[in-house]
Amino acid sequence: MTVGNEQVYYVRPVNGDDSNDGKSFSTAWKTWQNAVDELCFTGVSAGDIHNAALFLVNEGTAYTGPYSTNGTDTSLDYCFTDSGGEFTIRGLSADGNAYEDVFFDFDLSGFTYNNWMYGFGSSNMASQTLLWQNIRWKDADRDTNSNPNWIMYTSYDSEFSQFRFKNCQWIDNKVDNGLVGFGNYSGVYYYNNCKFKGNQGFDSSRALISTGNYTITNLGRGPCFDMRNCWFEGNNTVSGTSYVLMSQSLNGQGALMENCVFLKNGYDSSSKLINLHASAEDTRDEISRCIFIGNEGRVLELEQASYTDAGDYGNTTYGRKFDGNVFIYNGQPLYFNSEPALKTTSFMNNIFWNNTTEDVPS
């Protein structure tokens, strides 16, 4: 069923055909390459505001390509729908139905491009609202292919600014830089019920997930994220560096993370798990009801504001909240890079037990 002239499309890697119109289960396209090209570049529906969804049908095996040259190594222009539009990409079962435990798998073990999806320099992609649901990216192998640099990546101000991920997974990927690297001033990113397991990065200036920019220290540029019910297990980066598993450079809205689990992440004592990097004094980060068990190095690292306030507070960041979290068998639960990072921060109902380094810094 469609509402208001909405258009939906299907990809069936086994039973589809790229000569079809793609607009029904029975007339599905065959390849991701064709879907990206048709909806973003060359097709009659490219950038159409009525484009509503692309359903990827799991027909028994993981998808291994072909991948669109336009969609992987070239700047995307309109991304599935036009500026300000809403679009969904969801994995379905072989019978065309949606189930919470069925995923469409992208097997990236043979992927040879720099970035699986890339955006740069197009104002048409500002405020894109794109929901990814029941999609799994797995087995990217930089040891074999020296790629990818990123799975999803944008290096400037407006692209991919409102991506949402629901029930998605990133499993056993080895990447040069990271999994997701978004960079703009005002993006809002949502992760709900997602899993990150067994991923590894190899660049000391990158994070596996960077919201704000593709580097860890990026001054005032910074969107915020809303992350709930997510699982992080066995992810790590190269040894002996200042690499951060998750780096957030945030604007005044701050970060919200709740009901997440972080289990045995990090490589060694030099590792850093979560870096909260503030732009201004009113960046209000909140981490609530999360569990951190057996993580190497620093777990939460709080930085002061990048910009000095003209009034009384200098680089102080205030209003941060840490409530109901559990820290067990980690290296160092909390680290503050300076006193202003701590001012008016509240700690309530947290449990610290058997961590290697002091639980709350003096």
Coordinates of all heavy atoms in Angstrom, one line a residue, residues 22-91:
G22 N 11.3 -2.6 -10.6 CA 11.7 -2.6 -9.2 C 10.6 -2.2 -8.2 O 10.8 -2.1 -7.0
K23 N 9.4 -2.0 -8.7 CA 8.3 -1.4 -7.9 C 7.4 -2.3 -7.1 O 6.5 -1.9 -6.5 CB 7.5 -0.4 -8.7 CG 8.3 0.8 -9.2 CD 7.4 1.8 -10.0 CE 8.2 3.0 -10.4 NZ 7.4 4.0 -11.1
S24 N 7.7 -3.6 -7.2 CA 6.9 -4.6 -6.5 C 7.8 -5.8 -6.2 O 8.9 -6.0 -6.8 CB 5.7 -5.1 -7.3 OG 6.1 -5.8 -8.4
F25 N 7.3 -6.7 -5.3 CA 8.1 -7.9 -5.0 C 8.3 -8.8 -6.2 O 9.3 -9.4 -6.4 CB 7.3 -8.7 -3.9 CG 8.0 -9.9 -3.4 CD1 9.0 -9.7 -2.4 CD2 7.6 -11.1 -3.8 CE1 9.7 -10.9 -1.9 CE2 8.3 -12.3 -3.3 CZ 9.3 -12.1 -2.4
S26 N 7.3 -8.9 -7.0 CA 7.3 -9.7 -8.2 C 8.1 -9.1 -9.4 O 8.6 -9.8 -10.3 CB 5.9 -10.1 -8.7 OG 5.2 -8.9 -9.1
T27 N 8.3 -7.8 -9.3 CA 9.1 -7.1 -10.4 C 10.4 -6.4 -9.8 O 10.7 -5.3 -10.2 CB 8.3 -6.1 -11.1 OG1 7.8 -5.0 -10.2 CG2 7.0 -6.7 -11.8
A28 N 11.0 -7.1 -8.8 CA 12.1 -6.6 -8.1 C 13.4 -6.5 -9.0 O 13.5 -7.2 -10.0 CB 12.4 -7.4 -6.9
W29 N 14.2 -5.5 -8.6 CA 15.6 -5.5 -9.2 C 16.4 -6.6 -8.6 O 16.1 -7.2 -7.6 CB 16.2 -4.1 -8.9 CG 15.6 -3.0 -9.6 CD1 15.1 -2.9 -10.9 CD2 15.4 -1.6 -9.1 NE1 14.6 -1.7 -11.2 CE2 14.8 -0.9 -10.1 CE3 15.7 -1.1 -7.8 CZ2 14.4 0.5 -9.9 CZ3 15.4 0.3 -7.7 CH2 14.7 1.0 -8.7
K30 N 17.6 -6.8 -9.2 CA 18.5 -7.9 -8.8 C 19.6 -7.4 -7.9 O 20.0 -8.0 -7.0 CB 19.0 -8.6 -10.0 CG 19.9 -9.9 -9.6 CD 20.3 -10.6 -10.9 CE 21.1 -11.8 -10.5 NZ 20.3 -12.8 -9.8
T31 N 20.2 -6.2 -8.2 CA 21.4 -5.8 -7.6 C 21.3 -4.4 -6.8 O 20.5 -3.6 -7.2 CB 22.5 -5.6 -8.6 OG1 22.2 -4.5 -9.5 CG2 22.7 -6.9 -9.4
W32 N 22.1 -4.3 -5.8 CA 22.2 -3.1 -5.0 C 22.8 -2.0 -6.0 O 22.3 -0.8 -5.9 CB 23.1 -3.3 -3.8 CG 23.6 -2.1 -3.1 CD1 24.8 -1.5 -3.2 CD2 22.8 -1.3 -2.2 NE1 24.9 -0.4 -2.5 CE2 23.7 -0.2 -1.8 CE3 21.5 -1.3 -1.7 CZ2 23.3 0.8 -0.9 CZ3 21.1 -0.3 -0.8 CH2 22.0 0.7 -0.4
Q33 N 23.7 -2.4 -6.8 CA 24.3 -1.4 -7.8 C 23.2 -0.7 -8.6 O 23.1 0.5 -8.7 CB 25.2 -2.1 -8.7 CG 25.7 -1.2 -9.8 CD 26.7 -1.9 -10.8 OE1 27.3 -2.9 -10.4 NE2 26.9 -1.4 -11.9
N34 N 22.3 -1.5 -9.1 CA 21.2 -0.9 -9.9 C 20.3 -0.1 -9.1 O 19.9 1.0 -9.6 CB 20.4 -2.1 -10.6 CG 19.4 -1.5 -11.6 OD1 19.8 -1.0 -12.7 ND2 18.2 -1.6 -11.3
A35 N 20.0 -0.5 -7.9 CA 19.1 0.3 -7.0 C 19.6 1.7 -6.7 O 19.0 2.7 -6.8 CB 18.8 -0.5 -5.8
V36 N 20.9 1.7 -6.4 CA 21.6 3.0 -6.1 C 21.6 3.9 -7.3 O 21.3 5.1 -7.2 CB 23.0 2.8 -5.5 CG1 23.7 4.1 -5.4 CG2 22.9 2.1 -4.2
D37 N 22.0 3.3 -8.4 CA 22.1 4.1 -9.6 C 20.7 4.6 -10.1 O 20.5 5.8 -10.4 CB 22.7 3.3 -10.8 CG 24.2 3.0 -10.6 OD1 24.7 3.7 -9.7 OD2 24.7 2.2 -11.3
E38 N 19.7 3.8 -10.0 CA 18.3 4.2 -10.4 C 17.7 5.2 -9.5 O 17.0 6.1 -9.9 CB 17.4 2.9 -10.4 CG 17.7 2.0 -11.6 CD 17.3 2.7 -12.9 OE1 16.2 3.2 -13.0 OE2 18.1 2.6 -13.9
L39 N 18.0 5.1 -8.2 CA 17.3 6.0 -7.2 C 18.2 7.2 -6.8 O 17.7 8.2 -6.2 CB 17.0 5.2 -5.9 CG 16.0 4.1 -6.1 CD1 15.8 3.4 -4.8 CD2 14.7 4.6 -6.6
C40 N 19.4 7.2 -7.2 CA 20.3 8.4 -6.9 C 20.9 9.1 -8.1 O 21.3 10.2 -8.0 CB 21.5 7.9 -6.0 SG 21.0 7.3 -4.4
F41 N 21.0 8.4 -9.3 CA 21.7 9.0 -10.4 C 21.0 9.0 -11.7 O 20.6 10.0 -12.2 CB 23.1 8.2 -10.5 CG 24.0 8.5 -9.3 CD1 24.1 7.5 -8.3 CD2 24.7 9.6 -9.2 CE1 24.9 7.7 -7.2 CE2 25.6 9.8 -8.1 CZ 25.6 8.9 -7.1
T42 N 20.8 7.8 -12.3 CA 20.5 7.8 -13.7 C 19.0 7.4 -14.0 O 18.5 7.5 -15.1 CB 21.4 6.7 -14.4 OG1 21.2 5.4 -13.8 CG2 22.8 7.1 -14.3
G43 N 18.3 6.9 -13.0 CA 16.9 6.4 -13.2 C 15.9 7.5 -13.3 O 16.1 8.6 -12.9
V44 N 14.7 7.1 -13.9 CA 13.7 8.1 -14.0 C 13.1 8.6 -12.7 O 12.5 9.7 -12.5 CB 12.5 7.6 -14.9 CG1 13.0 7.3 -16.3 CG2 11.9 6.3 -14.2
S45 N 13.4 7.8 -11.6 CA 12.9 8.2 -10.3 C 14.1 8.7 -9.4 O 13.8 8.9 -8.2 CB 12.3 6.9 -9.6 OG 11.2 6.5 -10.2
A46 N 15.2 9.0 -10.0 CA 16.4 9.4 -9.2 C 16.0 10.8 -8.5 O 15.7 11.7 -9.1 CB 17.6 9.6 -10.0
G47 N 16.1 10.8 -7.2 CA 15.9 12.0 -6.4 C 14.4 12.4 -6.4 O 14.1 13.5 -5.9
D48 N 13.5 11.5 -6.7 CA 12.1 11.9 -6.7 C 11.6 12.0 -5.2 O 11.9 11.1 -4.4 CB 11.3 10.8 -7.4 CG 9.8 11.1 -7.6 OD1 9.3 11.9 -6.8 OD2 9.3 10.7 -8.6
I49 N 10.9 13.1 -4.9 CA 10.4 13.3 -3.5 C 9.5 12.2 -3.1 O 9.3 12.0 -1.9 CB 9.8 14.7 -3.4 CG1 9.6 15.1 -1.9 CG2 8.5 14.7 -4.2 CD1 9.1 16.5 -1.7
H50 N 8.8 11.5 -4.0 CA 7.9 10.5 -3.7 C 8.5 9.1 -3.3 O 7.8 8.2 -2.9 CB 6.8 10.3 -4.8 CG 6.0 11.5 -5.1 ND1 6.2 12.3 -6.2 CD2 5.1 12.1 -4.3 CE1 5.4 13.3 -6.1 NE2 4.7 13.2 -5.0
N51 N 9.8 9.0 -3.6 CA 10.5 7.7 -3.2 C 10.4 7.5 -1.7 O 10.8 8.4 -0.9 CB 11.9 7.8 -3.7 CG 12.1 7.7 -5.2 OD1 11.1 7.4 -5.9 ND2 13.3 8.1 -5.6
A52 N 9.9 6.4 -1.3 CA 9.6 6.2 0.2 C 10.5 5.0 0.8 O 10.9 5.1 1.9 CB 8.2 5.8 0.4
A53 N 10.7 4.0 0.0 CA 11.4 2.8 0.7 C 12.1 1.9 -0.4 O 11.6 1.8 -1.5 CB 10.4 2.0 1.5
L54 N 13.1 1.3 0.1 CA 13.8 0.3 -0.7 C 13.9 -1.0 0.2 O 14.5 -0.9 1.3 CB 15.2 0.7 -1.1 CG 16.1 -0.4 -1.8 CD1 15.4 -0.8 -3.2 CD2 17.5 0.2 -2.0
F55 N 13.2 -2.1 -0.2 CA 13.2 -3.3 0.6 C 14.2 -4.3 -0.1 O 14.1 -4.6 -1.2 CB 11.8 -3.9 0.6 CG 10.8 -3.0 1.3 CD1 9.7 -2.4 0.5 CD2 10.9 -2.7 2.6 CE1 8.8 -1.6 1.2 CE2 10.0 -1.9 3.2 CZ 8.9 -1.4 2.5
L56 N 15.1 -4.8 0.8 CA 16.2 -5.7 0.4 C 15.8 -7.1 0.9 O 15.7 -7.3 2.1 CB 17.5 -5.2 0.9 CG 17.9 -3.8 0.6 CD1 19.3 -3.4 1.3 CD2 18.0 -3.5 -0.9
V57 N 15.6 -8.0 0.0 CA 15.0 -9.3 0.3 C 16.2 -10.3 0.5 O 17.0 -10.5 -0.4 CB 14.1 -9.8 -0.8 CG1 13.4 -11.1 -0.4 CG2 13.0 -8.7 -1.0
N58 N 16.2 -10.9 1.7 CA 17.2 -12.0 2.0 C 16.7 -13.3 1.4 O 15.7 -13.9 1.9 CB 17.3 -12.1 3.5 CG 18.4 -13.1 3.9 OD1 18.7 -14.0 3.2 ND2 18.9 -12.9 5.1
E59 N 17.3 -13.7 0.4 CA 16.9 -14.9 -0.3 C 17.9 -16.1 0.0 O 18.1 -17.0 -0.9 CB 16.8 -14.7 -1.8 CG 15.7 -13.7 -2.1 CD 15.3 -13.6 -3.6 OE1 16.2 -13.3 -4.4 OE2 14.1 -13.8 -3.9
G60 N 18.5 -16.0 1.1 CA 19.3 -17.2 1.6 C 20.8 -17.0 1.7 O 21.4 -17.8 2.4
T61 N 21.4 -16.1 1.0 CA 22.8 -15.9 1.1 C 23.1 -14.4 1.2 O 22.3 -13.5 0.8 CB 23.5 -16.4 -0.2 OG1 23.0 -15.8 -1.3 CG2 23.3 -17.9 -0.3
A62 N 24.3 -14.1 1.7 CA 24.7 -12.7 1.9 C 25.0 -12.1 0.5 O 25.5 -12.8 -0.4 CB 25.9 -12.6 2.8
Y63 N 24.7 -10.8 0.4 CA 24.9 -10.1 -0.9 C 26.4 -9.7 -1.0 O 27.0 -9.1 -0.1 CB 24.1 -8.8 -1.0 CG 24.2 -8.1 -2.3 CD1 23.5 -8.5 -3.4 CD2 25.1 -7.0 -2.4 CE1 23.6 -7.8 -4.6 CE2 25.2 -6.3 -3.6 CZ 24.4 -6.7 -4.7 OH 24.6 -6.1 -5.9
T64 N 27.1 -10.0 -2.1 CA 28.5 -9.8 -2.3 C 28.8 -8.9 -3.4 O 29.9 -8.7 -3.8 CB 29.2 -11.1 -2.5 OG1 28.7 -11.8 -3.6 CG2 29.1 -12.0 -1.3
G65 N 27.8 -8.2 -4.0 CA 28.0 -7.3 -5.1 C 27.3 -7.8 -6.3 O 26.6 -8.8 -6.2
P66 N 27.3 -7.0 -7.4 CA 28.2 -5.9 -7.6 C 27.7 -4.6 -6.8 O 26.5 -4.5 -6.5 CB 28.0 -5.6 -9.1 CG 26.7 -6.1 -9.4 CD 26.5 -7.3 -8.6
Y67 N 28.7 -3.7 -6.6 CA 28.4 -2.5 -5.9 C 28.5 -1.3 -6.8 O 29.4 -1.3 -7.7 CB 29.4 -2.3 -4.7 CG 29.2 -3.4 -3.6 CD1 30.0 -4.5 -3.6 CD2 28.2 -3.2 -2.7 CE1 29.9 -5.5 -2.6 CE2 28.0 -4.2 -1.7 CZ 28.9 -5.3 -1.7 OH 28.7 -6.3 -0.7
S68 N 27.7 -0.3 -6.6 CA 27.7 0.8 -7.5 C 28.9 1.7 -7.4 O 29.3 2.1 -6.3 CB 26.5 1.7 -7.2 OG 26.5 2.9 -7.9
T69 N 29.5 1.9 -8.6 CA 30.7 2.8 -8.6 C 30.2 4.2 -8.1 O 30.9 4.9 -7.4 CB 31.3 2.9 -10.0 OG1 31.7 1.6 -10.4 CG2 32.5 3.9 -10.0
N70 N 29.1 4.6 -8.6 CA 28.5 5.9 -8.2 C 28.3 6.0 -6.7 O 28.6 7.0 -6.0 CB 27.2 6.2 -8.9 CG 27.4 6.6 -10.3 OD1 28.4 7.3 -10.6 ND2 26.5 6.2 -11.2
G71 N 27.8 4.9 -6.1 CA 27.4 4.9 -4.7 C 28.6 4.6 -3.7 O 28.4 4.7 -2.5
T72 N 29.7 4.3 -4.2 CA 30.8 3.9 -3.3 C 32.1 4.8 -3.4 O 32.7 5.0 -2.4 CB 31.2 2.4 -3.6 OG1 31.6 2.3 -5.0 CG2 30.1 1.5 -3.2
D73 N 32.4 5.2 -4.6 CA 33.6 6.0 -4.7 C 33.4 7.4 -5.3 O 34.3 8.1 -5.6 CB 34.6 5.3 -5.7 CG 35.8 4.8 -4.9 OD1 35.8 4.9 -3.7 OD2 36.7 4.3 -5.5
T74 N 32.1 7.8 -5.5 CA 31.8 9.1 -6.1 C 30.8 9.7 -5.2 O 29.9 9.1 -4.5 CB 31.2 8.9 -7.5 OG1 32.1 8.2 -8.3 CG2 30.9 10.2 -8.1
S75 N 30.8 11.1 -5.1 CA 29.8 11.8 -4.2 C 28.4 11.5 -4.6 O 28.0 11.5 -5.8 CB 30.1 13.3 -4.4 OG 31.4 13.6 -4.0
L76 N 27.6 11.1 -3.6 CA 26.2 11.0 -3.9 C 25.6 12.4 -4.0 O 26.0 13.3 -3.3 CB 25.5 10.2 -2.7 CG 25.8 8.7 -2.6 CD1 25.1 8.2 -1.3 CD2 25.3 8.0 -3.8
D77 N 24.6 12.5 -4.9 CA 23.9 13.7 -5.0 C 22.6 13.6 -4.2 O 22.6 13.8 -3.0 CB 23.7 14.1 -6.5 CG 23.2 15.5 -6.7 OD1 23.0 16.2 -5.7 OD2 22.9 15.9 -7.8
Y78 N 21.5 13.3 -4.9 CA 20.3 13.0 -4.2 C 20.5 11.5 -3.7 O 20.8 10.7 -4.4 CB 19.1 13.0 -5.1 CG 18.7 14.5 -5.5 CD1 18.9 14.9 -6.8 CD2 18.2 15.3 -4.5 CE1 18.5 16.2 -7.1 CE2 17.8 16.6 -4.9 CZ 18.0 17.0 -6.2 OH 17.6 18.3 -6.5
C79 N 20.2 11.3 -2.4 CA 20.4 10.0 -1.8 C 19.0 9.3 -1.7 O 18.4 9.5 -0.6 CB 21.1 10.1 -0.5 SG 21.6 8.6 0.2
F80 N 18.6 8.7 -2.7 CA 17.4 7.9 -2.7 C 16.1 8.7 -2.8 O 15.1 8.3 -3.4 CB 17.3 6.9 -1.6 CG 18.5 6.0 -1.4 CD1 19.4 6.2 -0.4 CD2 18.7 5.0 -2.3 CE1 20.5 5.4 -0.3 CE2 19.8 4.2 -2.2 CZ 20.7 4.4 -1.2
T81 N 16.1 9.9 -2.3 CA 15.0 10.8 -2.5 C 15.6 12.3 -2.4 O 16.8 12.4 -2.2 CB 13.9 10.7 -1.4 OG1 12.8 11.5 -1.6 CG2 14.5 11.0 0.0
D82 N 14.7 13.3 -2.7 CA 15.3 14.6 -2.7 C 15.5 15.2 -1.4 O 15.2 14.7 -0.3 CB 14.6 15.5 -3.7 CG 13.2 15.9 -3.2 OD1 12.9 15.5 -2.0 OD2 12.6 16.7 -3.9
S83 N 16.1 16.4 -1.3 CA 16.4 17.1 -0.1 C 15.2 17.3 0.8 O 14.1 17.7 0.4 CB 16.9 18.5 -0.4 OG 17.3 19.2 0.8
G84 N 15.4 16.9 2.1 CA 14.3 17.0 3.0 C 13.3 15.8 3.0 O 12.4 15.8 3.8
G85 N 13.5 14.9 2.1 CA 12.7 13.7 2.0 C 13.0 12.7 3.1 O 14.0 12.7 3.7
E86 N 12.1 11.8 3.3 CA 12.3 10.6 4.2 C 12.3 9.4 3.4 O 11.5 9.2 2.5 CB 11.1 10.6 5.3 CG 11.1 11.8 6.2 CD 10.1 11.7 7.3 OE1 9.4 10.7 7.3 OE2 10.0 12.7 8.1
F87 N 13.2 8.5 3.8 CA 13.4 7.2 3.0 C 13.7 6.1 4.0 O 14.4 6.4 5.0 CB 14.4 7.4 2.0 CG 14.4 6.3 0.9 CD1 13.6 6.4 -0.2 CD2 15.3 5.3 1.0 CE1 13.6 5.5 -1.2 CE2 15.3 4.3 0.0 CZ 14.4 4.4 -1.1
T88 N 13.3 4.9 3.7 CA 13.6 3.7 4.5 C 14.3 2.7 3.6 O 13.9 2.4 2.5 CB 12.3 3.1 5.1 OG1 11.8 4.0 6.0 CG2 12.7 1.8 5.8
I89 N 15.4 2.1 4.2 CA 16.0 0.9 3.5 C 15.9 -0.2 4.6 O 16.5 -0.1 5.7 CB 17.5 1.2 3.2 CG1 17.5 2.3 2.1 CG2 18.1 -0.1 2.6 CD1 18.9 2.7 1.7
R90 N 15.2 -1.3 4.2 CA 14.9 -2.3 5.2 C 15.1 -3.7 4.6 O 14.8 -4.0 3.5 CB 13.5 -2.2 5.8 CG 13.1 -3.4 6.7 CD 12.0 -3.1 7.6 NE 11.9 -4.2 8.6 CZ 11.1 -4.2 9.6 NH1 10.4 -3.1 9.9 NH2 11.1 -5.3 10.5
G91 N 15.7 -4.6 5.5 CA 15.8 -6.0 5.1 C 14.5 -6.8 5.3 O 13.9 -6.6 6.4

